[in-house]
Amino acid sequence: MKTILGTQIIKVPKDVTMDVKNRVVTVKGPRGTLVKAFKHVDLEFIRIGKRRVKVNMWFATRKNMACLQTVCSHIKNLFKGVRYGFRLKMRAVYAHFPINITSTQDNTVVDIRNFLGEKFTRTVHLKPGVTCTPTGNKDEIQVEGNDLEMVTLSAALIHQAVLVKEKDIRKFLDGIYVSEEGTIVQKK
């Protein structure tokens, strides 16, 4: 059965501006600008006043209605990104051989050495707009950026670079894991 009209209303924060043209959403805030395209979903964006946007989906099935909520959540994450930014802290875990993590090329490339005692250097190129810096604590790095999707994808690339192959993963727990999630600018 189809729903004739599914609607969600998004409230735009005061220090953020949002523009929509041809289902491409542009969000500007204190930390920068983010652009995200929703051309793959049949949606209708209608501005209601200055601070509210109505998102409509016509003749939607149950799965399409789930897409409506997902798109609204993505837009809210864009608001949060341009206001506060996103930071993930990752920690190197090892039993014997200490993992060495360094960032190069303006903190956009991560080099991982001595994983399980191997001489091979693993290189991870981070997604655009994402940087990786040491936190000051032992064996800990932080991955930062404005776009939640790019920050989490970069953290996943770092994690996947040091997966243990052909050994019992219950015994060999070495790797780099996300230990903390948060924002760059602390909320008031």
Side-chain angles (χ1 to χ4, degrees):
M1 193 166 115
K2 291 191 175 185
T3 305
I4 295 174
L5 176 62
T7 301
Q8 291 260 347
I9 294 178
I10 301 171
K11 293 180 182 173
V12 181
K14 290 184 179 175
D15 54 348
V16 174
T17 60
M18 175 182 165
D19 296 321
V20 181
K21 186 172 184 182
N22 296 335
R23 288 183 286 188
V24 176
V25 176
T26 305
V27 177
K28 294 177 186 168
R31 293 188 47 84
T33 303
L34 292 175
V35 178
K36 195 162 187 77
F38 297 106
K39 290 182 176 271
H40 62 285
V41 185
D42 292 329
L43 291 173
E44 178 183 42
F45 291 93
I46 300 170
R47 186 171 291 280
I48 308 171
K50 288 186 176 181
R51 294 277 158 220
R52 295 192 331 168
V53 175
K54 187 161 135 182
V55 184
N56 290 337
M57 181 173 278
W58 293 89
F59 302 108
T61 61
R62 200 164 156 230
K63 288 186 178 181
N64 294 31
M65 291 299 289
C67 290
L68 176 66
Q69 177 62 42
T70 301
V71 167
C72 292
S73 296
H74 279 303
I75 293 172
K76 288 175 186 173
N77 284 335
L78 294 178
F79 294 157
K80 191 174 177 185
V82 296
R83 292 173 77 200
Y84 306 115
F86 293 99
R87 173 186 292 152
L88 297 180
K89 290 187 179 177
M90 301 185 79
R91 176 156 286 171
V93 177
Y94 49 85
H96 187 271
F97 296 103
I99 300 172
N100 185 351
I101 307 168
T102 57
S103 56
T104 58
Q105 296 181 14
D106 295 331
N107 297 328
T108 59
V109 176
V110 176
D111 293 327
I112 303 163
R113 292 182 179 81
N114 202 30
F115 176 67
L116 294 179
E118 298 172 356
K119 298 297 180 192
F120 176 69
T121 300
R122 291 164 166 79
T123 302
V124 178
H125 296 276
L126 301 180
K127 296 290 181 181
V130 179
T131 60
C132 177
T133 55
T135 60
N137 294 342
K138 187 174 186 277
D139 300 324
E140 190 176 57
I141 58 172
Q142 59 189 11
V143 183
E144 296 178 334
N146 289 344
D147 193 353
L148 177 64
E149 193 172 336
M150 295 299 161
V151 171
T152 52
L153 276 173
S154 297
L157 288 174
I158 293 170
H159 173 73
Q160 287 177 340
V162 290
L163 290 179
V164 178
K165 305 286 186 193
E166 299 178 10
K167 290 185 174 67
D168 187 359
I169 58 172
R170 296 172 294 181
K171 176 71 174 168
F172 292 88
L173 299 173
D174 294 21
I176 302 173
Y177 299 98
V178 174
S179 62
E180 189 179 328
E181 298 177 2
T183 58
I184 299 171
V185 178
Q186 297 302 319
K187 295 180 185 178
K188 296 171 186 165

